[in-house]
């Protein structure tokens, strides 16, 4: 079992070496008065915990370039910057998520680059500059499946080494995995996390064949 880490105040959680905040934390409540994410980016989702656990087992290179797509509050970005000194770009379509991400990056003393963009519009040349592209719970609508397939294909074609996506196990996510198997190496595994609480879902690792 993991070592018990005492948190400094209520509504703070500790997971895989980073501090996270619940929706009830005083700083988050204050931010919510001015910023209301509208595409489900209103908290850190459990799939982010799966990804942190996975990336604790399958290490990233130190100081590597990582892009998180559909970052929401950016828990994975913060984790990668904290644990692996990764140079991270966190991308989300909804500008309202970034103030929350900034608070998480400040309390964890890391710097995260960010970009407000639709991931379907990211060009292959830019995607290819990142060794690892990660995302959690970003394939939740039918309309997101094909754009995600196209993004992963473009990224791998242009030099990205791996795409890792965590998901609670939605049909749209499995459809994405199925479509990727046509031309790529796809390794789908059930996964669970134990911090900040137990969570179960899926992780897919996609590479060139
Ligand atoms: C369910 S939330 C997951 C947030 C975060 N990854 C996590 O696990 O806590 C989905 C996120 O994807 C973002 N998103 C949805 N469609 C997007 C798109 N086309 N381009 C970039 N971000 C998108 C939303 O704004 C939201 O922050």
């Amino acid at each position: 079992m993991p070592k018990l880490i005492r948190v400094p105040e209520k509504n703070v959680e500790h997971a895989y070496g980073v501090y996270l905040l619940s929706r009830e934390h005083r700083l988050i409540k204050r931010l919510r008065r001015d910023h209301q994410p509208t595409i489900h980016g209103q908290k850190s989702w459990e799939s982010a915990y799966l990804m942190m656990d996975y990336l604790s087992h399958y290490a990233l290179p130190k100081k590597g370039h990582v892009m998180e797509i559909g970052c929401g509050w950016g828990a994975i970005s913060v984790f990668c910057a904290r644990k692996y000194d990764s140079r991270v770009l966190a991308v989300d379509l909804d500008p309202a998520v970034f103030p929350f991400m900034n608070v998480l990056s400040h309390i964890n003393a890391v710097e995260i680059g960010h970009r407000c963009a639709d991931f379907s519009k990211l060009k292959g040349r830019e995607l290819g500059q990142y060794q690892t592209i990660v995302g959690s719970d970003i394939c939740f609508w039918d309309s997101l499946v094909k754009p995600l397939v196209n993004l992963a294909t473009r990224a791998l074609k242009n030099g990205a080494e791996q795409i890792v996506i965590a998901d609670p196990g939605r049909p749209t996510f499995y459809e994405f995995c199925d479509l990727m198997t046509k031309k790529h190496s796809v390794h789908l595994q059930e996964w669970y996390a134990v911090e900040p609480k137990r969570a179960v879902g899926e992780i897919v690792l996609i590479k060139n064949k």
Side-chain angles (χ1 to χ4, degrees):
M1 296 303 284
K3 181 180 160 194
L4 178 67
I5 306 283
R6 300 225 177 258
V7 291
E9 59 177 280
K10 66 177 185 174
N11 299 314
V12 177
E13 294 173 315
H14 188 268
Y16 303 100
V18 303
Y19 290 107
L20 303 172
L21 302 178
S22 80
R23 279 170 58 77
E24 300 315 313
H25 189 272
R26 60 195 169 83
L27 292 173
I28 298 296
K29 275 182 160 167
R30 177 66 192 85
L31 278 181
R32 280 164 55 197
R33 281 193 232 154
D34 298 329
H35 308 278
Q36 289 100 30
T38 51
I39 327 174
H40 301 301
Q42 73 274 23
K43 62 175 186 174
S44 294
W45 290 81
E46 289 188 357
S47 297
Y49 312 150
L50 298 178
M51 181 69 78
M52 290 193 266
D53 191 287
Y54 179 86
L55 294 177
S56 301
H57 287 82
Y58 294 100
L60 296 176
K62 283 272 175 194
K63 296 188 191 292
H65 290 251
V66 174
M67 178 187 281
E68 182 182 4
I69 50 173
C71 61
W73 292 14
I76 301 171
S77 295
V78 169
F79 168 83
C80 293
R82 186 90 217 152
K83 185 164 174 77
Y84 296 118
D85 239 346
S86 310
R87 292 164 220 180
V88 188
L89 180 69
V91 175
D92 203 289
L93 180 57
D94 185 350
V97 301
F98 295 114
F100 299 91
M101 192 189 81
N102 285 339
V103 169
L104 285 197
S105 62
H106 281 303
I107 63 169
N108 286 285
V110 292
E111 281 187 23
I112 309 286
H114 75 273
R115 166 103 57 89
C116 186
D118 182 339
F119 62 61
S120 69
K121 302 267 168 37
L122 298 173
K123 301 264 183 280
R125 210 177 41 202
E126 175 172 23
L127 293 166
Q129 291 167 14
Y130 294 86
Q131 291 152 338
T132 302
I133 298 178
V134 291
S136 60
D137 211 342
I138 52 165
C139 197
F140 49 88
W141 289 332
D142 288 339
S143 61
L144 289 168
V145 176
K146 288 237 167 81
L148 202 53
V149 168
N150 293 338
L151 174 143
T153 304
R154 275 199 309 284
L156 292 168
K157 189 173 165 194
N158 282 279
E161 290 169 17
Q162 55 179 3
I163 318 274
V164 193
I165 308 289
D167 196 87
R170 302 180 197 283
T172 39
F173 167 78
Y174 294 122
E175 192 185 340
F176 162 71
C177 295
D178 269 356
L179 289 169
M180 288 309 298
T181 55
K182 288 186 183 155
K183 292 190 180 149
H184 297 88
S185 150
V186 173
H187 186 43
L188 177 63
Q189 296 178 86
E190 280 187 290
W191 205 266
Y192 71 93
V194 289
E195 300 177 27
K197 59 186 174 190
R198 191 181 159 89
V200 179
E202 304 270 356
I203 298 270
V204 67
L205 169 68
I206 304 169
K207 293 184 172 191
N208 280 321
K209 273 189 178 157

